[in-house]
Amino acid sequence: MRAQYLDRMDIERERGITIKSQAVRMPWTKDGQPHILNMIDTPGHVDFTYEVSRSLAACEGAVLLVDAAQGIEAQTLANLYLALENDLTIIPVLNKIDLPAAQPDTYAEELAHLIGCEPSDCLRVSGKTGAGVEELLDEIVRQIPPPTGQAEAPARAMIFDSVYDTYRGVVTYIRVIDGQLTGREKILMMSTGATHELLELGVISPEPVPAKALGVGEVGYLITGVKDVRQSKVGDTVTNQARPASKALAGYADAKPMVFSGLYPLDGSDYPELREALDKLLLNDAALVYEPESSAALGFGFRVGFLGLLHLEIIRERLEREFGLDLIATAPNVVYRVVMEDGTEHTVTNPSEFPTGKISEVHEPIVRATILTPTDFTGAIMDLCQTRRGTLLGMDYLSEDRVELRYTLPLAEIIFDFFDQLKSRTKGYASLDYETTGEQVSDLVKVDILLQGETVDAFSAITHKDKAYSYGTSMAEKLRKLIPRQQFEVPIQAAIGSRIIARENIRAIRKDVLAKCYGGDISRKRKLLEKQKEGKKRMKMVGRVEVPQEAFIAALSTGDESPGKK
Amino acid sequence: MSPALPSRDPAPPDGALSQLALASLTQRDFGVYLHVPFCAARCGYCDFNTYTPSELGGLDIDSYLKSMVREIACASRVLAGQAPAVRTVFVGGGTPTMLGSDQLAQLVAAVEKEFGFADDVEITTEANPESVDETSLRQLRAAGFNRISLGMQSARASVLAMLERKHRPGRALAAVAEARNAGFEHINLDLIYGAAAETEDDWLASLDAVTGAGVDHVSAYALIVEDGTALARKVARGQVAAPDDDVLADRYLLAEDKLTGAGMQWYEVSNWAMSDAARCRHNELYWRGQNWWGFGPGAHSHVGGVRWWNVKHPRRYSALLADGSSPAAGRETLSEIDQRLEEIMLGMRMRQGLPLSRVGSAAPQLMADGLLDPTAFAEGRAALTLRGRLLADSVIRDLS
């Protein structure tokens, strides 16, 4: 069996992370009694919390895996709390005990302290060597209650995932709660009322294996020939058309995009390909939203909403890798709610759409962040959170040398380089998790960047008033270095409304002439001129200023001057 | 000659030209360029098609001369007696004066024999100051040369050393005096500015030297770091600073100031002359899209919208001619659009510029920006201002 068996995507395997939940069924015999275990491997990262919560809602118990070399991470807490909210039986497990750096005793204490059990209750396993795995499976059988659904009731199955497969169409992952689904019968999607022929029903063991029927508690898949995942909506209830259930199961809240970024093809003619690629990714990723937008600076593209930065990074990487696209992404931003003095409201997902006129209040999303760190770095983290407008909610010692810090932070402050900063200030030891907890009114302004008096939409940013100046000056300086000198002087300004807060000048070019052009030079120089004229055509015009696309990319690509940085 | 030859159509082995191209012969001036691809040593900044003795692989000057005469005969066949009398001859290199005066005389005589010279023919040779003396200059003058272009480059030893030029600073001015004594009507001094070691004071000294020398023509070139040269490698390695555009602009303005002050007038962005008669008519022929035949390894020619270029290495050049073939390596036939582009690219660099009807619609904006001269504009011409000269390439891009 190959390593990282259930992480099927290249990106998952390379990064050693799980993005998509995977279901798997395995038979296990304890004390001569055969059992069937249905398990779901879930992601851990905060961006994919919604995947975790969906999966947990389909389960009776959870195995809480903690890396025995790293101990509890912030996401461990987050996922533990999710499991507790779902009243699940939790089995604490320390994994990777084969690693030389593993400290199972230390972390067993922490874990026990956290969930209120004895350190000896924490199982110790190694996925790599197989040590302790049998004991774990026995423990699952012993502790996790069997499913409680009614076998005779009309069928109700929860859709917890649906993915698009090029060859088979949409594959819908379900967990049967009540009754039974059998092959060759029509099913009904309870939210849409759509009926489908069941083409295939099966379990994953660990590859898809067709099955005649799925009964109470069983996890499996079904295929109906539908081509659009949106017709197999995650959270929907599947029932039998001939004998439908009267009441659907409680579904899931839709995942809400928290972070937006403009994605533009480097080559404008790739726009249709980008649209197609996004449409295809959407088939597998209900959390992705996008709509076309155009930028004077970058041309035609899409404003894309993501669950978080990792989600953004992964989508972007998949677009580039799987679809061969070269993309420019604008600096990510959160969603703002702007209330005007006349009471009207605007939802702003793109800084260039920030309303002008008399603004009464700007609301920004906030998160409750949990940071776990060795105590040595407490001061460094407090400094960081302070500069990011954080409010300390509390701190708890997990053990003598590890502490949990809880902060309220604006999401906007986290989505830039917060995580990198956190890692670099704590030598990589701190971990972060957060959940959105609402919004707050903040003193936020839009900073525009103007070239020769013209606003460059791609560089507009919404920042806290105290950080507007540093964003403006650093962006202006960066552009001065990136934009080639023109025939005339080009002022670069940063402005809040009509108030200029920073200014740089690109000095006019003084010499642009070949010294020599004699008989033998003419053909070569003409070709050079043709090439330059081609290059000129590819320049983006901001008013009369010619800006090479590379300058836009360079200005957007490095996160250094993002509004979040002090 | 350019280092990398353009590549387009193969040239026919006999060098034949279309009737259309030949028909232009009677419509346009006809000039001759003779390339002498030899130098005693290669200067660090130079990317011309030239060879030191060790690079020639045993080719001797006699066989080069023989091949040149063969190409002259080949040209005569191709042009089939339709070429008008030659109005300009320019011998360039390399270092033409690596040939003896008698050998240069031989080449000029061969051209005259095939094509005949117009009454007012201009015959120029380039020369390195250290490779001529009063005797050789008298011989050249006697052979019909009436214009000489001396590669002075700088009046300062430190700058010459940086450029890897072998002559002493005073030598160029002495050669000017010798040329004048020998009876040359037109004398040019070439200067190069912007070398890393050059100070503004050095440049002023060079300008003072040329204005005091009594020549009627000065070419002043910004140092170009050409790909593939020793200079380019030094710049890439960070051993030598690349010329700074703002410094080059300042140097250019100083040149304009000093040369104009000495009674000269610019007639092309890098060329100044005491009078219309002192202009280099051969170069003007290039810039006005006239016909010329360039003889010698790597030389370029143009006849009626067909440009071609010879193989670069002298041995290959000689071998082709010995076989009775054309030495051309490739050619291109210019489209209407190409010709129009060239007209703007070359014409706008000259003082008189071009009629507004020949340039694009950006002219009014360029005038408003101070790059085109309002007086000329009022007279229906697009002509560069002083600032426009320094930005000629961007003006050309906007107008073409």
PDB file of all heavy atoms in Angstrom, chain A residues 318-338:
ATOM      1  N   ARG A 318      -3.664  25.038  -8.142  1.00  0.00           N
ATOM      2  CA  ARG A 318      -4.324  24.055  -9.005  1.00  0.00           C
ATOM      3  C   ARG A 318      -4.626  24.648 -10.377  1.00  0.00           C
ATOM      4  O   ARG A 318      -4.479  23.974 -11.400  1.00  0.00           O
ATOM      5  CB  ARG A 318      -5.602  23.551  -8.343  1.00  0.00           C
ATOM      6  CG  ARG A 318      -5.326  22.692  -7.114  1.00  0.00           C
ATOM      7  CD  ARG A 318      -6.581  22.056  -6.579  1.00  0.00           C
ATOM      8  NE  ARG A 318      -7.131  21.080  -7.514  1.00  0.00           N
ATOM      9  CZ  ARG A 318      -8.322  20.507  -7.380  1.00  0.00           C
ATOM     10  NH1 ARG A 318      -9.088  20.824  -6.359  1.00  0.00           N
ATOM     11  NH2 ARG A 318      -8.744  19.635  -8.266  1.00  0.00           N
ATOM     12  N   LEU A 319      -5.034  25.928 -10.406  1.00  0.00           N
ATOM     13  CA  LEU A 319      -5.312  26.571 -11.694  1.00  0.00           C
ATOM     14  C   LEU A 319      -4.046  26.601 -12.544  1.00  0.00           C
ATOM     15  O   LEU A 319      -4.079  26.376 -13.754  1.00  0.00           O
ATOM     16  CB  LEU A 319      -5.828  27.998 -11.491  1.00  0.00           C
ATOM     17  CG  LEU A 319      -7.257  28.124 -10.942  1.00  0.00           C
ATOM     18  CD1 LEU A 319      -7.546  29.558 -10.518  1.00  0.00           C
ATOM     19  CD2 LEU A 319      -8.268  27.675 -12.002  1.00  0.00           C
ATOM     20  N   GLU A 320      -2.922  26.876 -11.897  1.00  0.00           N
ATOM     21  CA  GLU A 320      -1.677  26.991 -12.641  1.00  0.00           C
ATOM     22  C   GLU A 320      -1.163  25.620 -13.054  1.00  0.00           C
ATOM     23  O   GLU A 320      -0.687  25.451 -14.172  1.00  0.00           O
ATOM     24  CB  GLU A 320      -0.639  27.758 -11.824  1.00  0.00           C
ATOM     25  CG  GLU A 320      -1.130  29.164 -11.521  1.00  0.00           C
ATOM     26  CD  GLU A 320      -0.050  30.167 -11.164  1.00  0.00           C
ATOM     27  OE1 GLU A 320       0.904  29.830 -10.427  1.00  0.00           O
ATOM     28  OE2 GLU A 320      -0.161  31.303 -11.617  1.00  0.00           O
ATOM     29  N   ARG A 321      -1.293  24.656 -12.141  1.00  0.00           N
ATOM     30  CA  ARG A 321      -0.728  23.345 -12.422  1.00  0.00           C
ATOM     31  C   ARG A 321      -1.607  22.485 -13.287  1.00  0.00           C
ATOM     32  O   ARG A 321      -1.168  21.902 -14.277  1.00  0.00           O
ATOM     33  CB  ARG A 321      -0.484  22.609 -11.118  1.00  0.00           C
ATOM     34  CG  ARG A 321       0.954  22.690 -10.711  1.00  0.00           C
ATOM     35  CD  ARG A 321       1.072  22.480  -9.286  1.00  0.00           C
ATOM     36  NE  ARG A 321       0.826  21.096  -8.934  1.00  0.00           N
ATOM     37  CZ  ARG A 321       1.444  20.534  -7.906  1.00  0.00           C
ATOM     38  NH1 ARG A 321       2.328  21.219  -7.245  1.00  0.00           N
ATOM     39  NH2 ARG A 321       1.185  19.309  -7.581  1.00  0.00           N
ATOM     40  N   GLU A 322      -2.877  22.396 -12.897  1.00  0.00           N
ATOM     41  CA  GLU A 322      -3.746  21.462 -13.605  1.00  0.00           C
ATOM     42  C   GLU A 322      -4.267  22.054 -14.904  1.00  0.00           C
ATOM     43  O   GLU A 322      -4.671  21.329 -15.804  1.00  0.00           O
ATOM     44  CB  GLU A 322      -4.909  21.053 -12.687  1.00  0.00           C
ATOM     45  CG  GLU A 322      -4.422  20.253 -11.488  1.00  0.00           C
ATOM     46  CD  GLU A 322      -5.521  20.031 -10.442  1.00  0.00           C
ATOM     47  OE1 GLU A 322      -6.704  19.996 -10.819  1.00  0.00           O
ATOM     48  OE2 GLU A 322      -5.180  19.895  -9.260  1.00  0.00           O
ATOM     49  N   PHE A 323      -4.288  23.389 -15.010  1.00  0.00           N
ATOM     50  CA  PHE A 323      -4.849  23.996 -16.212  1.00  0.00           C
ATOM     51  C   PHE A 323      -3.822  24.814 -16.984  1.00  0.00           C
ATOM     52  O   PHE A 323      -4.151  25.449 -17.986  1.00  0.00           O
ATOM     53  CB  PHE A 323      -6.058  24.863 -15.841  1.00  0.00           C
ATOM     54  CG  PHE A 323      -7.158  24.073 -15.184  1.00  0.00           C
ATOM     55  CD1 PHE A 323      -7.217  23.930 -13.813  1.00  0.00           C
ATOM     56  CD2 PHE A 323      -8.115  23.422 -15.959  1.00  0.00           C
ATOM     57  CE1 PHE A 323      -8.217  23.180 -13.203  1.00  0.00           C
ATOM     58  CE2 PHE A 323      -9.124  22.671 -15.357  1.00  0.00           C
ATOM     59  CZ  PHE A 323      -9.175  22.541 -13.986  1.00  0.00           C
ATOM     60  N   GLY A 324      -2.587  24.822 -16.510  1.00  0.00           N
ATOM     61  CA  GLY A 324      -1.502  25.493 -17.245  1.00  0.00           C
ATOM     62  C   GLY A 324      -1.695  26.982 -17.402  1.00  0.00           C
ATOM     63  O   GLY A 324      -1.244  27.570 -18.387  1.00  0.00           O
ATOM     64  N   LEU A 325      -2.349  27.630 -16.436  1.00  0.00           N
ATOM     65  CA  LEU A 325      -2.582  29.068 -16.564  1.00  0.00           C
ATOM     66  C   LEU A 325      -1.512  29.848 -15.800  1.00  0.00           C
ATOM     67  O   LEU A 325      -1.025  29.396 -14.770  1.00  0.00           O
ATOM     68  CB  LEU A 325      -3.952  29.424 -15.977  1.00  0.00           C
ATOM     69  CG  LEU A 325      -5.161  28.888 -16.749  1.00  0.00           C
ATOM     70  CD1 LEU A 325      -6.395  28.910 -15.860  1.00  0.00           C
ATOM     71  CD2 LEU A 325      -5.389  29.720 -17.998  1.00  0.00           C
ATOM     72  N   ASP A 326      -1.164  31.023 -16.338  1.00  0.00           N
ATOM     73  CA  ASP A 326      -0.294  31.941 -15.591  1.00  0.00           C
ATOM     74  C   ASP A 326      -1.171  33.061 -15.062  1.00  0.00           C
ATOM     75  O   ASP A 326      -1.837  33.731 -15.846  1.00  0.00           O
ATOM     76  CB  ASP A 326       0.791  32.534 -16.497  1.00  0.00           C
ATOM     77  CG  ASP A 326       1.851  31.505 -16.820  1.00  0.00           C
ATOM     78  OD1 ASP A 326       2.211  30.749 -15.907  1.00  0.00           O
ATOM     79  OD2 ASP A 326       2.293  31.458 -17.983  1.00  0.00           O
ATOM     80  N   LEU A 327      -1.152  33.250 -13.780  1.00  0.00           N
ATOM     81  CA  LEU A 327      -2.118  34.169 -13.170  1.00  0.00           C
ATOM     82  C   LEU A 327      -1.444  35.276 -12.376  1.00  0.00           C
ATOM     83  O   LEU A 327      -0.354  35.113 -11.850  1.00  0.00           O
ATOM     84  CB  LEU A 327      -3.032  33.395 -12.213  1.00  0.00           C
ATOM     85  CG  LEU A 327      -3.859  32.266 -12.826  1.00  0.00           C
ATOM     86  CD1 LEU A 327      -4.579  31.510 -11.730  1.00  0.00           C
ATOM     87  CD2 LEU A 327      -4.856  32.810 -13.834  1.00  0.00           C
ATOM     88  N   ILE A 328      -2.142  36.401 -12.302  1.00  0.00           N
ATOM     89  CA  ILE A 328      -1.792  37.448 -11.345  1.00  0.00           C
ATOM     90  C   ILE A 328      -2.917  37.465 -10.328  1.00  0.00           C
ATOM     91  O   ILE A 328      -4.088  37.469 -10.700  1.00  0.00           O
ATOM     92  CB  ILE A 328      -1.806  38.860 -11.955  1.00  0.00           C
ATOM     93  CG1 ILE A 328      -1.123  38.885 -13.306  1.00  0.00           C
ATOM     94  CG2 ILE A 328      -1.211  39.872 -10.999  1.00  0.00           C
ATOM     95  CD1 ILE A 328      -1.147  40.273 -13.923  1.00  0.00           C
ATOM     96  N   ALA A 329      -2.574  37.505  -9.064  1.00  0.00           N
ATOM     97  CA  ALA A 329      -3.592  37.618  -8.026  1.00  0.00           C
ATOM     98  C   ALA A 329      -3.416  38.948  -7.317  1.00  0.00           C
ATOM     99  O   ALA A 329      -2.297  39.323  -6.970  1.00  0.00           O
ATOM    100  CB  ALA A 329      -3.461  36.476  -7.029  1.00  0.00           C
ATOM    101  N   THR A 330      -4.493  39.667  -7.127  1.00  0.00           N
ATOM    102  CA  THR A 330      -4.395  40.916  -6.372  1.00  0.00           C
ATOM    103  C   THR A 330      -4.301  40.569  -4.881  1.00  0.00           C
ATOM    104  O   THR A 330      -4.616  39.456  -4.481  1.00  0.00           O
ATOM    105  CB  THR A 330      -5.619  41.814  -6.607  1.00  0.00           C
ATOM    106  OG1 THR A 330      -6.784  41.140  -6.132  1.00  0.00           O
ATOM    107  CG2 THR A 330      -5.790  42.119  -8.088  1.00  0.00           C
ATOM    108  N   ALA A 331      -3.861  41.543  -4.115  1.00  0.00           N
ATOM    109  CA  ALA A 331      -3.713  41.300  -2.670  1.00  0.00           C
ATOM    110  C   ALA A 331      -5.068  40.884  -2.102  1.00  0.00           C
ATOM    111  O   ALA A 331      -6.083  41.487  -2.427  1.00  0.00           O
ATOM    112  CB  ALA A 331      -3.228  42.577  -1.985  1.00  0.00           C
ATOM    113  N   PRO A 332      -5.098  39.838  -1.277  1.00  0.00           N
ATOM    114  CA  PRO A 332      -6.378  39.367  -0.754  1.00  0.00           C
ATOM    115  C   PRO A 332      -7.007  40.374   0.211  1.00  0.00           C
ATOM    116  O   PRO A 332      -6.302  41.116   0.883  1.00  0.00           O
ATOM    117  CB  PRO A 332      -6.017  38.072  -0.017  1.00  0.00           C
ATOM    118  CG  PRO A 332      -4.557  38.132   0.211  1.00  0.00           C
ATOM    119  CD  PRO A 332      -3.968  39.029  -0.820  1.00  0.00           C
ATOM    120  N   ASN A 333      -8.312  40.398   0.225  1.00  0.00           N
ATOM    121  CA  ASN A 333      -9.006  41.266   1.178  1.00  0.00           C
ATOM    122  C   ASN A 333     -10.217  40.538   1.744  1.00  0.00           C
ATOM    123  O   ASN A 333     -10.695  39.568   1.173  1.00  0.00           O
ATOM    124  CB  ASN A 333      -9.442  42.578   0.501  1.00  0.00           C
ATOM    125  CG  ASN A 333     -10.356  42.348  -0.677  1.00  0.00           C
ATOM    126  OD1 ASN A 333      -9.892  42.172  -1.802  1.00  0.00           O
ATOM    127  ND2 ASN A 333     -11.657  42.313  -0.434  1.00  0.00           N
ATOM    128  N   VAL A 334     -10.692  41.047   2.874  1.00  0.00           N
ATOM    129  CA  VAL A 334     -11.878  40.451   3.486  1.00  0.00           C
ATOM    130  C   VAL A 334     -13.112  41.186   2.967  1.00  0.00           C
ATOM    131  O   VAL A 334     -13.011  42.063   2.122  1.00  0.00           O
ATOM    132  CB  VAL A 334     -11.797  40.533   5.035  1.00  0.00           C
ATOM    133  CG1 VAL A 334     -10.561  39.798   5.532  1.00  0.00           C
ATOM    134  CG2 VAL A 334     -11.787  41.995   5.499  1.00  0.00           C
ATOM    135  N   VAL A 335     -14.271  40.805   3.452  1.00  0.00           N
ATOM    136  CA  VAL A 335     -15.520  41.453   3.033  1.00  0.00           C
ATOM    137  C   VAL A 335     -15.876  42.544   4.047  1.00  0.00           C
ATOM    138  O   VAL A 335     -15.899  42.292   5.245  1.00  0.00           O
ATOM    139  CB  VAL A 335     -16.660  40.417   2.974  1.00  0.00           C
ATOM    140  CG1 VAL A 335     -17.944  41.079   2.493  1.00  0.00           C
ATOM    141  CG2 VAL A 335     -16.266  39.262   2.078  1.00  0.00           C
ATOM    142  N   TYR A 336     -16.105  43.726   3.538  1.00  0.00           N
ATOM    143  CA  TYR A 336     -16.461  44.840   4.417  1.00  0.00           C
ATOM    144  C   TYR A 336     -17.929  45.206   4.218  1.00  0.00           C
ATOM    145  O   TYR A 336     -18.459  45.076   3.107  1.00  0.00           O
ATOM    146  CB  TYR A 336     -15.595  46.070   4.113  1.00  0.00           C
ATOM    147  CG  TYR A 336     -14.129  45.822   4.350  1.00  0.00           C
ATOM    148  CD1 TYR A 336     -13.296  45.422   3.307  1.00  0.00           C
ATOM    149  CD2 TYR A 336     -13.583  45.978   5.615  1.00  0.00           C
ATOM    150  CE1 TYR A 336     -11.949  45.179   3.514  1.00  0.00           C
ATOM    151  CE2 TYR A 336     -12.227  45.747   5.841  1.00  0.00           C
ATOM    152  CZ  TYR A 336     -11.423  45.349   4.788  1.00  0.00           C
ATOM    153  OH  TYR A 336     -10.094  45.118   5.005  1.00  0.00           O
ATOM    154  N   ARG A 337     -18.530  45.664   5.298  1.00  0.00           N
ATOM    155  CA  ARG A 337     -19.892  46.148   5.206  1.00  0.00           C
ATOM    156  C   ARG A 337     -19.825  47.636   5.518  1.00  0.00           C
ATOM    157  O   ARG A 337     -19.377  48.041   6.595  1.00  0.00           O
ATOM    158  CB  ARG A 337     -20.773  45.408   6.211  1.00  0.00           C
ATOM    159  CG  ARG A 337     -22.257  45.600   6.012  1.00  0.00           C
ATOM    160  CD  ARG A 337     -23.021  44.505   6.749  1.00  0.00           C
ATOM    161  NE  ARG A 337     -22.826  44.573   8.193  1.00  0.00           N
ATOM    162  CZ  ARG A 337     -23.503  45.410   8.991  1.00  0.00           C
ATOM    163  NH1 ARG A 337     -24.431  46.204   8.501  1.00  0.00           N
ATOM    164  NH2 ARG A 337     -23.272  45.423  10.295  1.00  0.00           N
ATOM    165  N   VAL A 338     -20.195  48.433   4.537  1.00  0.00           N
ATOM    166  CA  VAL A 338     -20.073  49.876   4.693  1.00  0.00           C
ATOM    167  C   VAL A 338     -21.477  50.471   4.821  1.00  0.00           C
ATOM    168  O   VAL A 338     -22.324  50.264   3.953  1.00  0.00           O
ATOM    169  CB  VAL A 338     -19.347  50.503   3.480  1.00  0.00           C
ATOM    170  CG1 VAL A 338     -19.176  52.001   3.681  1.00  0.00           C
ATOM    171  CG2 VAL A 338     -17.999  49.834   3.270  1.00  0.00           C
TER     172      VAL A 338
END
